[in-house]
Amino acid sequence: FDVSRDEKKLIASFQNNNLALVDLSELHSHTLSLLSPSHQSSGSLSHSTTQPLQKAPIFNFLNTGYHGGSIESLDTATHRPIALTTCPQDSSLKVWNYISQKCILGDPAILEEDVNNVEAGKSLQCGALHPSGYYLALGFYDKLRVYHLLYEQVRKYRELPLRGVSQLKFSNGGHLLAVACGKVLYLYQGYTFEQIKSVSVHMDNINEISWSDDDRYMTSCSSPGSLYKWKIDSMNREHDYIDKKTDFATAGFTGDGVILTLGSEGTRGILREYTGDDNRRDNHIDKKLSSGCVIETIHGLKSYAVGTVDGMIRLYNHYLDEKHAQEIPAHRGRVTKMRSSPDGRYLMTVGEDGVVYIFQVTELFQGKAVDDVKPSTNDELALVVDEKLANVILVQKSYLDDFADRQEEKKNRMEDLAGKVDYHNKQKDIDFEHKLKEAKDTLNRELEKERQKYENLQRDKTQQERESAQIIKTLGSNHGKAMEELENLYERKLATEA
């Protein structure tokens, strides 16, 4: 594990290849809450501080987790850009969007009913994805089940009592399903799942099933060196390709009726093309091969991608030149399965190290990358995969009903909350208007009091001015009289002296 520099995040790795993030801040806050005074009583501090955490850390697994062992199944849909991987060791399945390079379904609980009480490594064995991308077949230790691929879950549709299912493959049209149970090969209807026929000609367990482009033929191979070509309308062997010196790892059609096989011959690897009943072309290479597929691009270029037992990915041109065009060190251990997207733009590989690789294929012409040119509407290969269908999913009606009920409940809660908010707002408006009215009334009363005071002061001032004027007038009159009396007195005094 490792801790971020700010000590808020912890990343942990597990033995089953999973990576998970833990938010340490939540644990820290929870620890502080346990140490707070509200969680402690007097005289019991030591007991409170030593009690275990009551909240387990929340592990947020990246990509909803990874496979915990060797990945033994890899399949792609035709219409949707998705791929299926399965791991027998931990009975896990993952559905990937190889364009966005994200896991869109992989919760370990989706197959919980199928893996409980089952011995490890004996539950989920293999899987196949329907070309439509909307349902899948899974082979278990004691049964075959078909599931609808829904939003964040799978729903069981049919169950067939087949033991030891080791290989599954839908036809390109999706109307047929080939099932290998050890040495026995079964053929079922792809929609009704009625058994059409079963054959048992292999001397060892079947390790690969493939279909021709027109679904008229099918191949099955096993070790050592047994390859059979089947005619589907009669389910009879069209041709037997037996070579006891060669250990076939996989076989498939190349698109033009040619059967490509690869595996090992002694200490070397071998790429072999069967172009007819007895015509073949071999290319011996220095490493044993464990898987491979054909890449056919929208511009008509064709090449062979192969995986070796030591985890290398090699690319050969369709002329089977001895020298490979490119080599990529990828897996740690054997490459178990390889698949190309129907339009040849992506290559997916899985290995016994539990890792899924998604490569983007770039076409080269004279050493330069071919520019991405929009294909014409007549180019069926370029238009076969609809990237938008990755977001078009199947949903159970009960899920929609539950979703609608939850939405209705949320709507009702929102309306109730909105009603409460409106009521509180109106109540606040009423209280505000009442307080405003009281404030206005108080202000008006204060203004009236002040106006009354002002008028009283004005009246008192006027009265005082009137009284002052009267006093001044009276004083002036009295002064005039006094002056007149004084003059009269002086005149009488002067008259007496004279």
Side-chain angles (χ1 to χ4, degrees), residues 126 136-147 158-163 165 167-168 177-179 181 188 193:
C126 58
L136 50 90
L138 297 178
F140 293 88
Y141 181 68
D142 57 350
K143 56 185 170 286
L144 168 65
R145 279 185 172 177
V146 181
Y147 292 85
R158 290 289 300 275
E159 180 174 317
L160 303 176
L162 290 176
R163 295 184 63 84
V165 178
Q167 297 291 330
L168 293 168
L177 172 64
V179 183
C181 298
Y188 287 88
F193 297 98

PDB file of all heavy atoms in Angstrom, residues 126 136-147 158-163 165 167-168 177-179 181 188 193:
ATOM      1  N   CYS A 126     -16.215 -20.690 -18.469  1.00  0.00           N
ATOM      2  CA  CYS A 126     -16.025 -19.998 -19.749  1.00  0.00           C
ATOM      3  C   CYS A 126     -17.249 -19.154 -20.041  1.00  0.00           C
ATOM      4  O   CYS A 126     -18.269 -19.232 -19.344  1.00  0.00           O
ATOM      5  CB  CYS A 126     -15.773 -21.003 -20.883  1.00  0.00           C
ATOM      6  SG  CYS A 126     -17.103 -22.202 -21.088  1.00  0.00           S
ATOM      7  N   LEU A 136     -25.503 -13.108 -22.970  1.00  0.00           N
ATOM      8  CA  LEU A 136     -24.283 -13.901 -22.951  1.00  0.00           C
ATOM      9  C   LEU A 136     -24.569 -15.281 -22.390  1.00  0.00           C
ATOM     10  O   LEU A 136     -25.567 -15.498 -21.689  1.00  0.00           O
ATOM     11  CB  LEU A 136     -23.195 -13.190 -22.134  1.00  0.00           C
ATOM     12  CG  LEU A 136     -23.568 -12.691 -20.731  1.00  0.00           C
ATOM     13  CD1 LEU A 136     -23.297 -13.753 -19.692  1.00  0.00           C
ATOM     14  CD2 LEU A 136     -22.793 -11.426 -20.392  1.00  0.00           C
ATOM     15  N   ALA A 137     -23.700 -16.220 -22.733  1.00  0.00           N
ATOM     16  CA  ALA A 137     -23.774 -17.594 -22.236  1.00  0.00           C
ATOM     17  C   ALA A 137     -22.560 -17.859 -21.368  1.00  0.00           C
ATOM     18  O   ALA A 137     -21.440 -17.477 -21.717  1.00  0.00           O
ATOM     19  CB  ALA A 137     -23.825 -18.586 -23.392  1.00  0.00           C
ATOM     20  N   LEU A 138     -22.812 -18.495 -20.214  1.00  0.00           N
ATOM     21  CA  LEU A 138     -21.747 -18.801 -19.274  1.00  0.00           C
ATOM     22  C   LEU A 138     -21.752 -20.294 -18.983  1.00  0.00           C
ATOM     23  O   LEU A 138     -22.810 -20.883 -18.717  1.00  0.00           O
ATOM     24  CB  LEU A 138     -21.927 -18.020 -17.967  1.00  0.00           C
ATOM     25  CG  LEU A 138     -21.864 -16.497 -18.066  1.00  0.00           C
ATOM     26  CD1 LEU A 138     -22.094 -15.864 -16.707  1.00  0.00           C
ATOM     27  CD2 LEU A 138     -20.532 -16.035 -18.649  1.00  0.00           C
ATOM     28  N   GLY A 139     -20.582 -20.904 -19.062  1.00  0.00           N
ATOM     29  CA  GLY A 139     -20.446 -22.316 -18.761  1.00  0.00           C
ATOM     30  C   GLY A 139     -19.923 -22.525 -17.349  1.00  0.00           C
ATOM     31  O   GLY A 139     -18.841 -22.038 -17.013  1.00  0.00           O
ATOM     32  N   PHE A 140     -20.706 -23.213 -16.543  1.00  0.00           N
ATOM     33  CA  PHE A 140     -20.318 -23.510 -15.172  1.00  0.00           C
ATOM     34  C   PHE A 140     -19.876 -24.972 -15.071  1.00  0.00           C
ATOM     35  O   PHE A 140     -19.968 -25.737 -16.030  1.00  0.00           O
ATOM     36  CB  PHE A 140     -21.479 -23.233 -14.210  1.00  0.00           C
ATOM     37  CG  PHE A 140     -21.829 -21.777 -14.116  1.00  0.00           C
ATOM     38  CD1 PHE A 140     -22.740 -21.210 -14.997  1.00  0.00           C
ATOM     39  CD2 PHE A 140     -21.254 -20.968 -13.156  1.00  0.00           C
ATOM     40  CE1 PHE A 140     -23.073 -19.873 -14.912  1.00  0.00           C
ATOM     41  CE2 PHE A 140     -21.571 -19.621 -13.069  1.00  0.00           C
ATOM     42  CZ  PHE A 140     -22.479 -19.075 -13.948  1.00  0.00           C
ATOM     43  N   TYR A 141     -19.426 -25.336 -13.889  1.00  0.00           N
ATOM     44  CA  TYR A 141     -18.924 -26.690 -13.682  1.00  0.00           C
ATOM     45  C   TYR A 141     -20.025 -27.724 -13.899  1.00  0.00           C
ATOM     46  O   TYR A 141     -19.749 -28.836 -14.352  1.00  0.00           O
ATOM     47  CB  TYR A 141     -18.353 -26.809 -12.270  1.00  0.00           C
ATOM     48  CG  TYR A 141     -17.771 -28.158 -11.950  1.00  0.00           C
ATOM     49  CD1 TYR A 141     -16.612 -28.601 -12.593  1.00  0.00           C
ATOM     50  CD2 TYR A 141     -18.368 -29.005 -11.022  1.00  0.00           C
ATOM     51  CE1 TYR A 141     -16.068 -29.835 -12.308  1.00  0.00           C
ATOM     52  CE2 TYR A 141     -17.829 -30.247 -10.729  1.00  0.00           C
ATOM     53  CZ  TYR A 141     -16.676 -30.657 -11.381  1.00  0.00           C
ATOM     54  OH  TYR A 141     -16.142 -31.888 -11.096  1.00  0.00           O
ATOM     55  N   ASP A 142     -21.265 -27.369 -13.578  1.00  0.00           N
ATOM     56  CA  ASP A 142     -22.351 -28.352 -13.648  1.00  0.00           C
ATOM     57  C   ASP A 142     -23.544 -27.887 -14.467  1.00  0.00           C
ATOM     58  O   ASP A 142     -24.598 -28.515 -14.442  1.00  0.00           O
ATOM     59  CB  ASP A 142     -22.825 -28.701 -12.235  1.00  0.00           C
ATOM     60  CG  ASP A 142     -23.272 -27.462 -11.459  1.00  0.00           C
ATOM     61  OD1 ASP A 142     -23.022 -26.342 -11.951  1.00  0.00           O
ATOM     62  OD2 ASP A 142     -23.850 -27.632 -10.367  1.00  0.00           O
ATOM     63  N   LYS A 143     -23.413 -26.782 -15.207  1.00  0.00           N
ATOM     64  CA  LYS A 143     -24.562 -26.280 -15.973  1.00  0.00           C
ATOM     65  C   LYS A 143     -24.101 -25.240 -16.995  1.00  0.00           C
ATOM     66  O   LYS A 143     -22.984 -24.717 -16.936  1.00  0.00           O
ATOM     67  CB  LYS A 143     -25.595 -25.660 -15.041  1.00  0.00           C
ATOM     68  CG  LYS A 143     -25.050 -24.549 -14.159  1.00  0.00           C
ATOM     69  CD  LYS A 143     -26.095 -24.056 -13.186  1.00  0.00           C
ATOM     70  CE  LYS A 143     -25.492 -23.114 -12.141  1.00  0.00           C
ATOM     71  NZ  LYS A 143     -24.701 -23.836 -11.148  1.00  0.00           N
ATOM     72  N   LEU A 144     -25.023 -24.952 -17.904  1.00  0.00           N
ATOM     73  CA  LEU A 144     -24.856 -23.868 -18.874  1.00  0.00           C
ATOM     74  C   LEU A 144     -25.988 -22.887 -18.651  1.00  0.00           C
ATOM     75  O   LEU A 144     -27.157 -23.280 -18.614  1.00  0.00           O
ATOM     76  CB  LEU A 144     -24.888 -24.403 -20.308  1.00  0.00           C
ATOM     77  CG  LEU A 144     -25.020 -23.361 -21.425  1.00  0.00           C
ATOM     78  CD1 LEU A 144     -23.790 -22.466 -21.470  1.00  0.00           C
ATOM     79  CD2 LEU A 144     -25.246 -24.034 -22.771  1.00  0.00           C
ATOM     80  N   ARG A 145     -25.637 -21.633 -18.503  1.00  0.00           N
ATOM     81  CA  ARG A 145     -26.654 -20.614 -18.261  1.00  0.00           C
ATOM     82  C   ARG A 145     -26.542 -19.501 -19.295  1.00  0.00           C
ATOM     83  O   ARG A 145     -25.440 -19.155 -19.742  1.00  0.00           O
ATOM     84  CB  ARG A 145     -26.519 -20.015 -16.859  1.00  0.00           C
ATOM     85  CG  ARG A 145     -27.139 -20.887 -15.769  1.00  0.00           C
ATOM     86  CD  ARG A 145     -27.079 -20.205 -14.432  1.00  0.00           C
ATOM     87  NE  ARG A 145     -27.822 -20.945 -13.425  1.00  0.00           N
ATOM     88  CZ  ARG A 145     -27.903 -20.617 -12.148  1.00  0.00           C
ATOM     89  NH1 ARG A 145     -27.262 -19.542 -11.718  1.00  0.00           N
ATOM     90  NH2 ARG A 145     -28.609 -21.331 -11.304  1.00  0.00           N
ATOM     91  N   VAL A 146     -27.709 -18.958 -19.637  1.00  0.00           N
ATOM     92  CA  VAL A 146     -27.796 -17.823 -20.548  1.00  0.00           C
ATOM     93  C   VAL A 146     -28.358 -16.645 -19.765  1.00  0.00           C
ATOM     94  O   VAL A 146     -29.369 -16.781 -19.054  1.00  0.00           O
ATOM     95  CB  VAL A 146     -28.688 -18.143 -21.759  1.00  0.00           C
ATOM     96  CG1 VAL A 146     -28.746 -16.945 -22.710  1.00  0.00           C
ATOM     97  CG2 VAL A 146     -28.172 -19.376 -22.487  1.00  0.00           C
ATOM     98  N   TYR A 147     -27.699 -15.513 -19.894  1.00  0.00           N
ATOM     99  CA  TYR A 147     -28.078 -14.317 -19.145  1.00  0.00           C
ATOM    100  C   TYR A 147     -28.361 -13.174 -20.114  1.00  0.00           C
ATOM    101  O   TYR A 147     -27.707 -13.045 -21.150  1.00  0.00           O
ATOM    102  CB  TYR A 147     -26.958 -13.875 -18.200  1.00  0.00           C
ATOM    103  CG  TYR A 147     -26.685 -14.809 -17.049  1.00  0.00           C
ATOM    104  CD1 TYR A 147     -25.836 -15.900 -17.211  1.00  0.00           C
ATOM    105  CD2 TYR A 147     -27.237 -14.584 -15.796  1.00  0.00           C
ATOM    106  CE1 TYR A 147     -25.555 -16.756 -16.152  1.00  0.00           C
ATOM    107  CE2 TYR A 147     -26.962 -15.425 -14.734  1.00  0.00           C
ATOM    108  CZ  TYR A 147     -26.128 -16.504 -14.916  1.00  0.00           C
ATOM    109  OH  TYR A 147     -25.850 -17.342 -13.870  1.00  0.00           O
ATOM    110  N   ARG A 158     -32.031 -18.722 -19.225  1.00  0.00           N
ATOM    111  CA  ARG A 158     -32.204 -20.166 -19.383  1.00  0.00           C
ATOM    112  C   ARG A 158     -31.062 -20.904 -18.676  1.00  0.00           C
ATOM    113  O   ARG A 158     -29.970 -20.367 -18.492  1.00  0.00           O
ATOM    114  CB  ARG A 158     -32.200 -20.544 -20.872  1.00  0.00           C
ATOM    115  CG  ARG A 158     -33.418 -20.098 -21.643  1.00  0.00           C
ATOM    116  CD  ARG A 158     -34.660 -20.900 -21.271  1.00  0.00           C
ATOM    117  NE  ARG A 158     -34.477 -22.312 -21.555  1.00  0.00           N
ATOM    118  CZ  ARG A 158     -34.705 -22.860 -22.746  1.00  0.00           C
ATOM    119  NH1 ARG A 158     -35.107 -22.115 -23.749  1.00  0.00           N
ATOM    120  NH2 ARG A 158     -34.532 -24.167 -22.917  1.00  0.00           N
ATOM    121  N   GLU A 159     -31.346 -22.144 -18.326  1.00  0.00           N
ATOM    122  CA  GLU A 159     -30.335 -23.007 -17.717  1.00  0.00           C
ATOM    123  C   GLU A 159     -30.432 -24.394 -18.321  1.00  0.00           C
ATOM    124  O   GLU A 159     -31.527 -24.974 -18.396  1.00  0.00           O
ATOM    125  CB  GLU A 159     -30.516 -23.067 -16.201  1.00  0.00           C
ATOM    126  CG  GLU A 159     -29.487 -23.953 -15.514  1.00  0.00           C
ATOM    127  CD  GLU A 159     -29.586 -23.885 -13.999  1.00  0.00           C
ATOM    128  OE1 GLU A 159     -29.751 -22.761 -13.486  1.00  0.00           O
ATOM    129  OE2 GLU A 159     -29.530 -24.940 -13.341  1.00  0.00           O
ATOM    130  N   LEU A 160     -29.286 -24.910 -18.772  1.00  0.00           N
ATOM    131  CA  LEU A 160     -29.216 -26.238 -19.372  1.00  0.00           C
ATOM    132  C   LEU A 160     -28.324 -27.125 -18.523  1.00  0.00           C
ATOM    133  O   LEU A 160     -27.227 -26.707 -18.111  1.00  0.00           O
ATOM    134  CB  LEU A 160     -28.656 -26.157 -20.801  1.00  0.00           C
ATOM    135  CG  LEU A 160     -29.420 -25.251 -21.770  1.00  0.00           C
ATOM    136  CD1 LEU A 160     -28.697 -25.197 -23.109  1.00  0.00           C
ATOM    137  CD2 LEU A 160     -30.846 -25.720 -21.956  1.00  0.00           C
ATOM    138  N   PRO A 161     -28.735 -28.356 -18.252  1.00  0.00           N
ATOM    139  CA  PRO A 161     -27.957 -29.250 -17.380  1.00  0.00           C
ATOM    140  C   PRO A 161     -26.798 -29.915 -18.125  1.00  0.00           C
ATOM    141  O   PRO A 161     -26.856 -31.093 -18.498  1.00  0.00           O
ATOM    142  CB  PRO A 161     -28.999 -30.272 -16.927  1.00  0.00           C
ATOM    143  CG  PRO A 161     -29.970 -30.342 -18.056  1.00  0.00           C
ATOM    144  CD  PRO A 161     -30.031 -28.961 -18.650  1.00  0.00           C
ATOM    145  N   LEU A 162     -25.749 -29.168 -18.361  1.00  0.00           N
ATOM    146  CA  LEU A 162     -24.545 -29.685 -19.009  1.00  0.00           C
ATOM    147  C   LEU A 162     -23.379 -29.606 -18.037  1.00  0.00           C
ATOM    148  O   LEU A 162     -23.141 -28.556 -17.428  1.00  0.00           O
ATOM    149  CB  LEU A 162     -24.221 -28.881 -20.274  1.00  0.00           C
ATOM    150  CG  LEU A 162     -25.171 -29.043 -21.463  1.00  0.00           C
ATOM    151  CD1 LEU A 162     -24.753 -28.103 -22.580  1.00  0.00           C
ATOM    152  CD2 LEU A 162     -25.179 -30.478 -21.960  1.00  0.00           C
ATOM    153  N   ARG A 163     -22.647 -30.677 -17.886  1.00  0.00           N
ATOM    154  CA  ARG A 163     -21.527 -30.704 -16.968  1.00  0.00           C
ATOM    155  C   ARG A 163     -20.210 -30.545 -17.725  1.00  0.00           C
ATOM    156  O   ARG A 163     -20.045 -31.066 -18.819  1.00  0.00           O
ATOM    157  CB  ARG A 163     -21.497 -32.014 -16.168  1.00  0.00           C
ATOM    158  CG  ARG A 163     -22.680 -32.193 -15.238  1.00  0.00           C
ATOM    159  CD  ARG A 163     -22.521 -33.447 -14.413  1.00  0.00           C
ATOM    160  NE  ARG A 163     -21.348 -33.381 -13.549  1.00  0.00           N
ATOM    161  CZ  ARG A 163     -21.338 -32.799 -12.341  1.00  0.00           C
ATOM    162  NH1 ARG A 163     -22.441 -32.231 -11.882  1.00  0.00           N
ATOM    163  NH2 ARG A 163     -20.238 -32.805 -11.612  1.00  0.00           N
ATOM    164  N   VAL A 165     -18.686 -27.750 -19.007  1.00  0.00           N
ATOM    165  CA  VAL A 165     -18.647 -26.877 -20.184  1.00  0.00           C
ATOM    166  C   VAL A 165     -17.285 -26.174 -20.213  1.00  0.00           C
ATOM    167  O   VAL A 165     -16.900 -25.489 -19.255  1.00  0.00           O
ATOM    168  CB  VAL A 165     -19.785 -25.846 -20.145  1.00  0.00           C
ATOM    169  CG1 VAL A 165     -19.699 -24.918 -21.353  1.00  0.00           C
ATOM    170  CG2 VAL A 165     -21.131 -26.553 -20.107  1.00  0.00           C
ATOM    171  N   GLN A 167     -15.906 -24.749 -23.534  1.00  0.00           N
ATOM    172  CA  GLN A 167     -15.823 -23.772 -24.611  1.00  0.00           C
ATOM    173  C   GLN A 167     -17.234 -23.393 -25.056  1.00  0.00           C
ATOM    174  O   GLN A 167     -18.125 -24.249 -25.121  1.00  0.00           O
ATOM    175  CB  GLN A 167     -15.032 -24.314 -25.811  1.00  0.00           C
ATOM    176  CG  GLN A 167     -13.587 -24.640 -25.532  1.00  0.00           C
ATOM    177  CD  GLN A 167     -12.743 -23.412 -25.262  1.00  0.00           C
ATOM    178  OE1 GLN A 167     -13.020 -22.326 -25.785  1.00  0.00           O
ATOM    179  NE2 GLN A 167     -11.714 -23.566 -24.451  1.00  0.00           N
ATOM    180  N   LEU A 168     -17.420 -22.104 -25.369  1.00  0.00           N
ATOM    181  CA  LEU A 168     -18.702 -21.597 -25.875  1.00  0.00           C
ATOM    182  C   LEU A 168     -18.412 -20.639 -27.019  1.00  0.00           C
ATOM    183  O   LEU A 168     -17.457 -19.865 -26.970  1.00  0.00           O
ATOM    184  CB  LEU A 168     -19.473 -20.857 -24.777  1.00  0.00           C
ATOM    185  CG  LEU A 168     -20.004 -21.682 -23.597  1.00  0.00           C
ATOM    186  CD1 LEU A 168     -20.460 -20.747 -22.483  1.00  0.00           C
ATOM    187  CD2 LEU A 168     -21.151 -22.573 -24.038  1.00  0.00           C
ATOM    188  N   LEU A 177     -25.489 -21.720 -31.237  1.00  0.00           N
ATOM    189  CA  LEU A 177     -24.524 -21.705 -30.140  1.00  0.00           C
ATOM    190  C   LEU A 177     -23.821 -23.058 -30.104  1.00  0.00           C
ATOM    191  O   LEU A 177     -24.466 -24.099 -29.997  1.00  0.00           O
ATOM    192  CB  LEU A 177     -25.213 -21.439 -28.801  1.00  0.00           C
ATOM    193  CG  LEU A 177     -24.341 -21.583 -27.553  1.00  0.00           C
ATOM    194  CD1 LEU A 177     -23.226 -20.541 -27.547  1.00  0.00           C
ATOM    195  CD2 LEU A 177     -25.185 -21.457 -26.277  1.00  0.00           C
ATOM    196  N   ALA A 178     -22.502 -23.022 -30.207  1.00  0.00           N
ATOM    197  CA  ALA A 178     -21.699 -24.237 -30.106  1.00  0.00           C
ATOM    198  C   ALA A 178     -21.150 -24.356 -28.693  1.00  0.00           C
ATOM    199  O   ALA A 178     -20.640 -23.382 -28.132  1.00  0.00           O
ATOM    200  CB  ALA A 178     -20.559 -24.209 -31.114  1.00  0.00           C
ATOM    201  N   VAL A 179     -21.267 -25.550 -28.128  1.00  0.00           N
ATOM    202  CA  VAL A 179     -20.846 -25.809 -26.750  1.00  0.00           C
ATOM    203  C   VAL A 179     -19.932 -27.026 -26.742  1.00  0.00           C
ATOM    204  O   VAL A 179     -20.267 -28.070 -27.312  1.00  0.00           O
ATOM    205  CB  VAL A 179     -22.055 -26.054 -25.830  1.00  0.00           C
ATOM    206  CG1 VAL A 179     -21.594 -26.259 -24.391  1.00  0.00           C
ATOM    207  CG2 VAL A 179     -23.049 -24.903 -25.921  1.00  0.00           C
ATOM    208  N   CYS A 181     -18.151 -29.681 -24.226  1.00  0.00           N
ATOM    209  CA  CYS A 181     -18.080 -30.258 -22.882  1.00  0.00           C
ATOM    210  C   CYS A 181     -17.044 -31.372 -22.912  1.00  0.00           C
ATOM    211  O   CYS A 181     -17.362 -32.528 -23.246  1.00  0.00           O
ATOM    212  CB  CYS A 181     -19.438 -30.793 -22.446  1.00  0.00           C
ATOM    213  SG  CYS A 181     -20.728 -29.554 -22.320  1.00  0.00           S
ATOM    214  N   TYR A 188     -26.671 -25.853 -30.420  1.00  0.00           N
ATOM    215  CA  TYR A 188     -27.979 -25.409 -29.925  1.00  0.00           C
ATOM    216  C   TYR A 188     -28.487 -24.252 -30.780  1.00  0.00           C
ATOM    217  O   TYR A 188     -27.707 -23.514 -31.400  1.00  0.00           O
ATOM    218  CB  TYR A 188     -27.879 -24.929 -28.473  1.00  0.00           C
ATOM    219  CG  TYR A 188     -27.704 -26.036 -27.460  1.00  0.00           C
ATOM    220  CD1 TYR A 188     -26.428 -26.499 -27.133  1.00  0.00           C
ATOM    221  CD2 TYR A 188     -28.801 -26.603 -26.821  1.00  0.00           C
ATOM    222  CE1 TYR A 188     -26.252 -27.504 -26.195  1.00  0.00           C
ATOM    223  CE2 TYR A 188     -28.635 -27.611 -25.878  1.00  0.00           C
ATOM    224  CZ  TYR A 188     -27.366 -28.052 -25.575  1.00  0.00           C
ATOM    225  OH  TYR A 188     -27.201 -29.046 -24.651  1.00  0.00           O
ATOM    226  N   PHE A 193     -32.575 -22.233 -27.685  1.00  0.00           N
ATOM    227  CA  PHE A 193     -31.639 -23.108 -26.986  1.00  0.00           C
ATOM    228  C   PHE A 193     -32.122 -24.559 -26.964  1.00  0.00           C
ATOM    229  O   PHE A 193     -31.967 -25.275 -25.973  1.00  0.00           O
ATOM    230  CB  PHE A 193     -31.385 -22.584 -25.564  1.00  0.00           C
ATOM    231  CG  PHE A 193     -30.732 -21.242 -25.572  1.00  0.00           C
ATOM    232  CD1 PHE A 193     -31.490 -20.092 -25.407  1.00  0.00           C
ATOM    233  CD2 PHE A 193     -29.374 -21.112 -25.808  1.00  0.00           C
ATOM    234  CE1 PHE A 193     -30.901 -18.845 -25.440  1.00  0.00           C
ATOM    235  CE2 PHE A 193     -28.776 -19.870 -25.845  1.00  0.00           C
ATOM    236  CZ  PHE A 193     -29.546 -18.730 -25.669  1.00  0.00           C
TER     237      PHE A 193
END
